[in-house]
Amino acid sequence: MSTEHDQADSTGLHAELTRFLRDSGALTSDWAEAFEAVPRAAFLPDLMWPFDMDTGAGLPVDRRTDPAGWERAAYSDVPVTIQWDDGQHPGPGPGRVPTSSASMPSVVARMLADIEVFPDARVLEIGTGTGWNAGLLSARLGDRNVVTVEVDESVAERARAVLRRLGLHPDVVCGDGRDGRPDTAPYDRVLVTAGVRDMPAAWSAQTRPGGLIVAPWGTHYCDEDALVRLTVADDGSASGPFCRPLEFMKIRAQRLDWRRFGSHVERYPGDAAESVTTVTLSDLGEERRFSAAKFVIGLCVPDCAHVLNTGRGASDESGESTVWFFDMTEGSRSWASVVSRPGEAKAVVRQSGPRKLWDEVSRALEWWRGQGSPRVESFGLTVTPEGAQRPWLAGPAHPVPSFAE
Ligand SMILES: C[S@@+](CC[C@H](N)C(=O)[O-])C[C@H]1O[C@@H](n2cnc3c(N)ncnc32)[C@H](O)[C@@H]1O
């Protein structure tokens, strides 16, 4: 049961988070009133898993046993997982894949600023999650202007109940957000709060010309995304720049199941062709999150997933690192690997199967360097009315080349 003291505490934490968001520039003045009126904690369940930004782990916090820790986490600028493994994971320990969450408050605030709403703007949100974002939109624009779609029935039902309790009534729809919500279209803004790999044509079709679609978008090369801000044109195409790197959990049907790549390398190295390279992990952008190198390789080498295995564990004192590349094309098992050791100038490359993935990756890197190693923000995306995706550099007239053979 909450006491007067608890209430004062949480009001203080809420005010502190709002101040932090304002001071950091994430929260714009036009959204401040909504953030003050709609507290994040009201949308979080008793048992939740705040993301530890240092370790990357999600550790359980239960309000019933640790109310102070719970309040602190609820008002921290960290993502909080509320569901694992599409609800199939019971118990307090973290599951395998986080599948629903409350995004980081600073990310929520920035994305709300990105959609540049105006009085009475109609917004379609994809990925209701806790319902916090939908609640903020409703507080600012009115219930009748907000439609939010959530694929998971129990998550949608929970969000609807929390919103109702707070006197907020946006239209919470359970369904596949990739279809948008045609019944209540057109929208002025589509705000996507799950990572997409293939931008559904339905979103532009349901947006008014001149309207905006803001979404975390990425390739299958890695899980990192970049926020894209597309303006919809009269002909139904949508085009715009990548604004900044970020990472979201993916739209359910577009998640990558890394276990599938085990069968690519059943017999390692098998008949793989061997060569050497002087390209380093740093050149590949592996030494930090959100490197432009990884983003650009993903753009230029379609249908290629990659993963870095570092031999930092106690069982491997060599410090050997392997970067794996896997062909995602249906029926193909092409793969490549690059094994490097600290202090050795050359890494060993192995390639197997009809697609020479390392050749494609190294040509993509060479192209990017030849362009002056542009940042993620120099790139953009056009989605045709049919849903084809065309990444570009410095404008739609300069498509990014594909090095897939
Ligand atoms: C990061 S959470 C969204 C955070 C949310 N906007 C909030 O304010 O708490 C992503 C959500 O997208 C949902 N999702 C995944 N695939 C979806 C799909 N195809 N259609 C609609 N929602 C989807 C997930 O179930 C999850 O709840």
Side-chain angles (χ1 to χ4, degrees):
M1 211 203 305
S2 84
T3 63
E4 254 175 57
H5 174 74
D6 293 338
Q7 189 58 45
D9 254 13
S10 75
T11 307
L13 289 169
H14 181 199
E16 210 176 290
L17 174 64
T18 310
R19 199 174 324 117
F20 163 78
L21 294 175
R22 210 182 290 135
D23 292 350
S24 66
L27 178 60
T28 50
S29 56
D30 54 338
W31 278 102
E33 202 179 313
F35 269 74
E36 272 151 27
V38 183
R40 186 192 201 214
F43 292 83
L44 297 172
D46 286 346
L47 175 61
M48 63 185 196
W49 295 264
F51 186 79
D52 184 321
M53 302 300 261
D54 295 326
T55 63
L59 293 175
V61 181
D62 195 324
R63 184 181 358 207
R64 292 157 296 198
T65 51
D66 181 9
W70 188 96
E71 289 279 348
R72 260 196 319 277
Y75 287 112
S76 296
D77 192 28
V78 295
V80 173
T81 297
I82 64 160
Q83 185 201 62
W84 295 92
D85 304 331
D86 297 328
Q88 302 305 306
H89 174 81
R96 204 172 65 82
V97 183
T99 48
S100 187
S101 69
S103 311
M104 251 171 110
S106 56
V107 169
V108 171
R110 277 186 208 282
M111 285 172 71
L112 286 171
D114 288 325
I115 62 171
E116 289 187 3
V117 293
F118 50 87
D120 251 3
R122 288 185 49 69
V123 181
L124 171 67
E125 184 200 29
I126 308 296
T128 312
T130 62
W132 184 41
N133 211 16
L136 292 164
L137 285 162
S138 261
R140 171 99 190 258
L141 298 169
D143 294 330
R144 70 198 161 86
N145 285 321
V146 183
V147 180
T148 176
V149 186
E150 168 59 53
V151 73
D152 188 287
E153 210 169 316
S154 63
V155 172
E157 186 44 49
R158 189 187 163 278
R160 204 180 284 123
V162 175
L163 286 158
R164 215 181 289 136
R165 220 169 27 240
L166 295 173
L168 296 162
H169 304 274
D171 188 7
V172 180
V173 179
C174 181
D176 189 338
R178 290 177 303 162
D179 301 331
R181 177 67 167 164
D183 317 24
T184 40
Y187 306 99
D188 298 294
R189 304 287 184 259
V190 178
L191 177 59
V192 186
T193 61
V196 269
R197 297 294 173 258
D198 281 308
M199 192 78 79
W203 295 346
S204 350
Q206 293 171 28
T207 304
R208 283 203 179 92
L212 298 175
I213 302 171
V214 169
W217 183 92
T219 67
H220 287 298
Y221 188 68
C222 61
D223 278 337
E224 293 164 11
D225 306 301
L227 192 77
V228 75
R229 190 169 180 275
L230 308 174
T231 303
V232 176
D234 289 335
D235 67 357
S237 64
S239 191
F242 290 106
C243 305
R244 58 187 170 276
L246 81 186
E247 186 171 335
F248 266 74
M249 56 181 60
K250 308 301 172 250
I251 286 272
R252 193 177 269 190
Q254 296 181 5
R255 274 183 217 141
L256 205 53
D257 183 358
W258 290 96
R259 292 173 298 189
R260 70 182 262 203
F261 299 120
S263 64
H264 279 56
V265 275
E266 263 161 6
R267 295 176 309 109
Y268 178 81
D271 58 359
E274 220 173 280
S275 58
V276 291
T277 181
T278 52
V279 173
T280 63
L281 289 179
S282 165
D283 295 333
L284 286 165
E286 294 299 335
E287 287 176 344
R288 62 185 186 86
R289 271 188 102 196
F290 301 130
S291 66
K294 277 184 280 181
F295 183 72
V296 175
I297 295 169
L299 296 180
C300 297
V301 185
D303 300 319
C304 173
H306 101 291
V307 70
L308 167 68
N309 285 344
T310 46
R312 291 198 198 101
S315 60
D316 183 356
E317 282 155 19
S318 67
E320 190 173 282
S321 298
T322 307
V323 192
W324 293 96
F325 305 91
F326 301 110
D327 186 6
M328 295 181 55
T329 317
E330 194 63 36
S332 167
R333 290 191 180 175
S334 297
W335 60 266
S337 67
V338 178
V339 181
S340 51
R341 287 169 180 247
E344 290 185 12
K346 288 186 179 159
V348 178
V349 176
R350 294 187 179 90
Q351 305 194 77
S352 172
R355 219 178 140 186
K356 303 292 174 242
L357 288 173
W358 174 249
D359 296 351
E360 295 180 21
V361 167
S362 44
R363 274 195 275 142
L365 261 185
E366 218 173 283
W367 172 80
W368 176 60
R369 285 207 198 116
Q371 302 297 315
S373 309
R375 293 151 41 101
V376 169
E377 292 83 347
S378 306
F379 291 83
L381 184 73
T382 298
V383 182
T384 68
E386 298 74 36
Q389 308 189 111
R390 308 259 155 80
W392 42 258
L393 171 61
H398 308 285
V400 163
S402 164
F403 293 99
E405 280 170 351

